[in-house]
Amino acid sequence: MPFDPQAYRPATALLTLGDGFFDAVAAADFPETRLRFRNQRAAAEIGLDPLTNAEWIRHFGRFDPLPDTLPSPLALRYHGHQFRSYNPDIGDGRGFTFAQMHDAQGRLMDLGTKGSGTTPHSRSGDGRLTLKGGVREILATEMLQALNVPTSRTLSLIETGEQLARGDEPSPTRSAVLVRLSLGHVRIGTFQRLAYEQDEAALRRLVGYVLRNLYGEDSDDPVRLLDLVVARTATLAARYMAAGFVHGVLNSDNINVTGESFDYGPWRFAPTWDPGFTAAYFDYQGLYAFARQPEAIHWDVMQLAVSLRQLVDTEPLIAALDRFAPRYGEAVAEAILWRLGVSPGEADADRLLVKAVERSLRDTAVPIDRFFFDAFGGDLPDGYGEEWAEVRGMLDGRSARKDRAHPYWFGAPCSMLIDEVEAIWARIAEADDWSALDAKVTAIRAMGEALA
């Protein structure tokens, strides 16, 4: 089998947790398997890029096991707060962990699925994914990676030939199975389930697994784990804001303890800096609105702390939680300066600049992507009027992190607003025309190269 012998490094670390953490399942037998998206860039990181398309489909459409990794797919068990209401009746209901392997950086990566069939946690669901949902996840993950947001990557999308009925979009609609490459699939809700069941031994095992395998630390200290999760999730929240991204459903079962964003449903990019902008039509109270995302993620991390109280005293956990706000402040300054393409300065000056940028974006309703495109390198064009005088003054004298020599800067800003998402999907739905998606992925990656 043509794997890259230098880059393909399979693993089975998940099995060390034991059967109580997952259920062995089988993938659905799909009527057809038509390869629609193959992320060769991500595949190269784990040694899978030499696979032929036929071999790719056999592994990621029919789920023949990859050599020397998990012998069968595993549906993970977890609970979680969904819109602040605790739900013990969830778990991997339309996905599973198919394989584990180390990437080029030595990190333990999971290959997880979406739309791969029913599991013991499916409840009344059909275990399937719409093709439109898969296309949307490609666009979200590509855009976020380019904008420096820690995210899972869409490795594969295969159309499966079934007609699905959905209440929130025209039906019947086409079906697909997606494979994502992610730094673990351990959620805050994974810890919540064990705390709910008062399984202290399993909770300790999970702490050690995450620290050793996902953080590279030889430790079993729950406080250390919480501190690391606080740091990673504060960075995630900050980079969401700098990207203008709204995840839509920041439930505790959707927060990965590695601080990597994943599981994209009703996501949107905000056109302007509108604090109340929401992505999910069912988020009636704006719980996960654009500006409330840091609060929402912090609240979820608090639930991890509550779970860990079964193992350690409360005081050090509270101290770790209290570090979220200052870490977020540092991270959002870093993220916005990165997107502005200017070097950091004094911490206080950076914070003032960030506040001025946020205030001016909110007050003027200048499109987020337009502003960061125009201001990259710190030179704000003359077309920005008096409302931007404070930002212009604060940028004056800042050294550019990178010049504007890349061809991207001679075009227009790359955005990913809902109208374009729908237009890309319409061409696929109406004419099976994938050229707009392919072109958009190329454009997004060019932006990523210009920003990096």
Side-chain angles (χ1 to χ4, degrees), residues 8 35 100 158 202 375 381 404 422 430 445:
Y8 181 69
L35 181 57
Q100 290 188 297
I158 291 175
R404 297 177 65 105
E422 293 296 332
E430 295 166 9
R445 291 182 177 183

Side-chain angles (χ1 to χ4, degrees), residues 260-343:
E260 186 180 77
S261 180
F262 78 117
D263 201 15
Y264 300 101
W267 62 268
R268 296 262 188 111
F269 282 89
T272 62
W273 200 276
D274 176 1
F277 181 85
T278 58
Y281 69 88
F282 46 83
D283 187 4
Y284 305 112
Q285 305 301 318
L287 183 63
Y288 300 141
F290 177 48
R292 296 187 68 183
Q293 292 183 116
E295 168 202 338
I297 292 173
H298 186 214
W299 191 93
D300 288 328
V301 177
M302 287 172 60
Q303 308 320 304
L304 175 60
V306 170
S307 299
L308 295 175
R309 282 174 55 193
Q310 293 195 14
L311 305 180
V312 291
D313 291 337
T314 301
E315 287 75 10
L317 296 172
I318 292 174
L321 282 174
D322 286 346
R323 288 190 280 275
F324 186 95
R327 281 173 166 165
Y328 171 77
E330 294 168 3
V332 78
E334 178 185 304
I336 286 181
L337 290 172
W338 179 88
R339 199 167 179 195
L340 281 168
V342 298
S343 300

Side-chain angles (χ1 to χ4, degrees), residues 404-437:
R404 297 177 65 105
H406 192 280
Y408 170 73
W409 301 113
F410 297 95
C414 182
S415 296
M416 182 47 62
L417 303 182
I418 189 61
D419 288 348
E420 185 174 8
V421 175
E422 293 296 332
I424 289 170
W425 169 247
R427 290 176 63 171
I428 295 170
E430 295 166 9
D432 206 32
D433 179 358
W434 292 76
S435 61
L437 175 67

Side-chain angles (χ1 to χ4, degrees), residues 247-261:
H247 183 281
V249 187
L250 292 174
N251 296 331
S252 62
D253 58 296
N254 284 341
I255 303 296
N256 192 326
V257 294
T258 60
E260 186 180 77
S261 180

Side-chain angles (χ1 to χ4, degrees), residues 70-326:
L70 303 178
S72 69
L74 303 175
L76 304 184
R77 301 176 184 177
Y78 49 86
H79 292 179
H81 278 87
Q82 299 185 310
F83 287 85
R84 303 280 169 95
S85 295
Y86 193 75
N87 188 351
D89 191 24
I90 49 179
D92 279 340
R94 59 170 174 167
F96 48 62
T97 301
F98 172 61
Q100 290 188 297
M101 53 201 64
H102 291 93
D103 69 2
Q105 302 174 51
R107 302 179 304 167
L108 179 67
M109 306 297 290
D110 287 355
L111 271 63
T113 65
K114 194 173 183 179
S116 49
T118 57
T119 78
H121 312 291
S122 297
R123 294 176 288 171
S124 60
D126 61 12
R128 303 307 201 257
L129 171 70
T130 67
L131 183 62
K132 182 179 183 181
V135 168
R136 284 173 50 83
E137 187 139 340
I138 292 168
L139 293 170
T141 54
E142 289 287 335
M143 193 72 174
L144 289 174
Q145 184 182 11
L147 290 172
N148 203 33
V149 178
T151 180
S152 63
R153 266 82 52 77
T154 304
L155 180 68
S156 172
L157 184 68
I158 291 175
E159 189 169 359
T160 56
E162 295 176 307
Q163 294 294 300
L164 305 180
R166 293 291 185 267
D168 56 353
E169 61 181 275
S171 296
T173 188
R174 293 153 72 178
S175 58
V177 62
L178 178 145
V179 178
R180 70 166 70 98
L181 181 65
S182 183
L183 182 58
H185 279 86
V186 178
R187 310 150 191 260
I188 288 174
T190 313
F191 285 86
Q192 289 181 281
R193 180 183 75 86
L194 299 174
Y196 178 90
E197 296 176 352
Q198 299 185 332
D199 191 341
E200 183 177 317
L203 201 54
R204 289 190 183 279
R205 250 191 346 272
L206 185 60
V207 169
Y209 173 88
V210 172
L211 283 169
R212 282 189 290 275
N213 292 290
L214 303 180
Y215 280 99
E217 299 212 355
D218 187 16
S219 172
D220 298 284
D221 181 4
V223 177
R224 176 60 177 160
L225 173 63
L226 181 63
D227 190 61
L228 290 166
V229 174
V230 164
R232 290 277 188 93
T233 54
T235 297
L236 174 64
R239 294 189 186 180
Y240 274 173
M241 298 303 290
F245 181 71
V246 185
H247 183 281
V249 187
L250 292 174
N251 296 331
S252 62
D253 58 296
N254 284 341
I255 303 296
N256 192 326
V257 294
T258 60
E260 186 180 77
S261 180
F262 78 117
D263 201 15
Y264 300 101
W267 62 268
R268 296 262 188 111
F269 282 89
T272 62
W273 200 276
D274 176 1
F277 181 85
T278 58
Y281 69 88
F282 46 83
D283 187 4
Y284 305 112
Q285 305 301 318
L287 183 63
Y288 300 141
F290 177 48
R292 296 187 68 183
Q293 292 183 116
E295 168 202 338
I297 292 173
H298 186 214
W299 191 93
D300 288 328
V301 177
M302 287 172 60
Q303 308 320 304
L304 175 60
V306 170
S307 299
L308 295 175
R309 282 174 55 193
Q310 293 195 14
L311 305 180
V312 291
D313 291 337
T314 301
E315 287 75 10
L317 296 172
I318 292 174
L321 282 174
D322 286 346
R323 288 190 280 275
F324 186 95

Side-chain angles (χ1 to χ4, degrees), residues 359-375:
R359 185 166 53 249
S360 295
L361 280 170
R362 184 185 64 244
D363 293 347
T364 64
V366 169
I368 294 171
D369 297 320
R370 177 85 257 173
F371 164 72
F372 282 114
F373 181 89
D374 290 344

